[in-house]
Amino acid sequence: MKVCFLPVSMKLMNPWHFSLELIMVIIVFFLCFLIFLRTKEIYNLTKHKGIFFFRYAFFYLGFAYLFRFIMISSFFLIDIKRFIHPRELMIYGGFITGIFSILGMIYLIASLIYKNYEYKYINLGIFSLTFIIAFSIIIIKGPLVIFIIHICLFLFALGIMLFEKKKSFSPRAIYILLLIFWIINYLPMIIGRLLPLEFRMLIAVISIGLFVAVYIKAIRWLK
Amino acid sequence: MVEIKKRDRLQVIYDILKVIQKNKNLIKPTPLLRFSNLSSQRFSEYEKDLLEKDLIVEVLDKKRRRHYKITEKGFKYLEKYHLIRGFVDEFDL
């Protein structure tokens, strides 16, 4: 008997597209998880606020990529209409993915600006902002609001990274690219269709490359 | 003109631990304050912080005078300091 490992109802996403998404999520999630785990020791020793924000930024970004994959797979791989209305899935799935990615973006920004503010105000700010965003997503019930929030956060991050007087340009450039490529990766959930495979492949390779770059930069100091 | 760079928290903690280590891992609070180059108010903050983080521990001698000793975690901090410094600088944290 011939065994087929792919679901029989796979109509909307071809195996190449699925494999690409799967490879990307495995690598990105694994790298984020490793960054989070391997920075645990230096965080426990120092309780450094910057390290705290950095660790959680990658923790949340890893989960954002994981939930994005789950969402895209359920949308484009199986005939989801039989189980749940696509709009409902878009609202709840988009909500979970959006929350993780927004938290990831906010923590990444916080790792750069925390020195200028009191720690308690930053934490309060993060939770208030996430709370407001979560409610906006539920009330407005559309992926567009998540996209707009992403763009606003990205522009805010861009402003901070360009105008903050810092020593090194390289981590900020990587962060900017990480955010840009996350937004591009998030696009299928906004427009409701997959991007062309060739373009998708390029985006996946660059996204993986950015996470590998962060991991290599971090691992040099995490022996 | 020589530029004097302000020590950050990581550096101050390292310097305090280094002073204790150089004193054969046993020092009284007063000389520690003197060698750490901090105001008494800032020293108190760091003293509290180091104790809370379990980087140092308070011990009493036979005459019940207070001394500080570095803990295992404190030695780990000293050992890893240059890597931690490198990491923080690498990512502008």
Side-chain angles (χ1 to χ4, degrees):
Chain A
M1 202 177 92
K2 197 179 173 186
V3 180
C4 181
F5 291 101
L6 294 170
V8 283
S9 56
M10 190 171 171
K11 296 168 192 164
L12 298 156
M13 190 190 249
N14 71 45
W16 287 106
H17 219 136
F18 177 74
S19 309
L20 182 68
E21 294 291 347
L22 185 65
I23 291 166
M24 187 182 81
V25 74
I26 289 172
I27 297 173
V28 169
F29 186 75
F30 184 66
L31 288 174
C32 288
F33 191 64
L34 277 182
I35 291 170
F36 183 72
L37 275 188
R38 297 199 66 173
T39 47
K40 189 183 172 196
E41 190 190 15
I42 60 166
Y43 174 68
N44 283 341
L45 281 175
T46 58
K47 301 287 178 205
H48 191 280
K49 308 282 187 295
I51 298 174
F52 171 83
F53 290 127
F54 176 86
R55 295 183 75 216
Y56 277 92
F58 284 92
F59 175 82
Y60 290 126
L61 282 176
F63 272 97
Y65 270 92
L66 180 69
F67 278 96
R68 174 196 165 276
F69 173 74
I70 294 169
M71 275 288 289
I72 285 186
S73 305
S74 44
F75 240 107
F76 301 108
L77 195 63
I78 57 172
D79 196 2
I80 202 72
K81 276 178 272 185
R82 283 189 294 176
F83 310 105
I84 184 171
H85 193 281
R87 187 166 165 76
E88 270 181 54
L89 178 72
M90 191 60 110
I91 291 165
Y92 300 120
F95 171 76
I96 298 168
T97 314
I99 288 295
F100 277 120
S101 72
I102 287 163
L103 276 170
M105 290 173 98
I106 293 175
Y107 273 88
L108 208 57
I109 296 168
S111 77
L112 295 167
I113 61 164
Y114 77 99
K115 283 177 192 163
N116 306 336
Y117 305 93
E118 280 275 333
Y119 178 63
K120 59 180 177 185
Y121 296 130
I122 293 188
N123 252 351
L124 189 71
I126 288 172
F127 285 104
S128 315
L129 196 62
T130 311
F131 190 72
I132 293 165
I133 289 167
F135 265 88
S136 324
I137 294 166
I138 290 171
I139 292 164
I140 301 170
K141 285 181 182 169
L144 194 65
V145 65
I146 305 175
F147 188 68
I148 292 167
I149 292 162
H150 275 88
I151 296 292
C152 292
L153 281 173
F154 169 71
L155 292 174
F156 182 62
L158 189 68
I160 285 168
M161 291 178 203
L162 291 178
F163 296 110
E164 272 267 296
K165 280 183 183 170
K166 290 266 182 170
K167 282 175 281 178
S168 160
F169 175 72
S170 120
R172 284 176 291 157
I174 293 178
Y175 290 171
I176 290 287
L177 291 172
L178 271 180
L179 299 184
I180 291 175
F181 281 89
W182 164 251
I183 293 172
I184 299 172
N185 278 309
Y186 195 75
L187 268 180
M189 294 172 68
I190 309 295
I191 58 175
R193 62 185 167 84
L194 292 165
L195 303 171
L197 184 61
E198 297 76 19
F199 181 64
R200 187 68 211 108
M201 204 177 281
L202 182 71
I203 299 299
V205 168
I206 299 172
S207 303
I208 291 169
L210 289 168
F211 280 95
V212 170
V214 173
Y215 181 72
I216 290 170
K217 270 164 115 28
I219 214 69
R220 280 170 55 202
W221 307 103
L222 301 171
K223 287 162 191 164
Chain B
M1 206 171 90
V2 180
E3 192 187 336
I4 299 167
K5 206 178 163 191
K6 199 182 162 209
R7 290 184 297 171
D8 67 1
R9 206 164 183 83
L10 283 177
Q11 173 81 55
V12 174
I13 291 174
Y14 175 78
D15 290 345
I16 294 173
L17 292 176
K18 208 72 192 161
V19 168
I20 305 175
Q21 191 189 34
K22 278 181 184 164
N23 275 272
K24 294 172 185 167
N25 194 19
L26 199 68
I27 193 168
K28 282 191 261 180
T30 317
L32 183 59
L33 164 65
R34 198 169 64 241
F35 292 128
S36 62
N37 290 323
L38 293 166
S39 67
S40 54
Q41 194 195 334
R42 283 198 72 204
F43 177 76
S44 303
E45 286 169 24
Y46 277 102
E47 191 182 17
K48 196 178 156 207
D49 194 28
L50 286 162
L51 286 165
E52 277 174 5
K53 284 178 180 164
D54 286 329
L55 294 171
I56 58 169
V57 68
E58 203 178 88
V59 285
L60 299 174
D61 66 9
K62 286 171 189 170
K63 292 177 184 170
R64 302 206 53 81
R65 286 177 303 195
R66 280 194 312 139
H67 286 73
Y68 288 127
K69 275 183 85 166
I70 305 175
T71 60
E72 202 179 316
K73 195 177 168 188
F75 280 114
K76 196 93 187 162
Y77 185 102
L78 284 173
E79 186 193 318
K80 296 256 175 182
Y81 174 74
H82 294 289
L83 292 173
I84 297 168
R85 176 89 270 157
F87 182 84
V88 167
D89 290 344
E90 181 82 61
F91 290 99
D92 269 353
L93 299 173

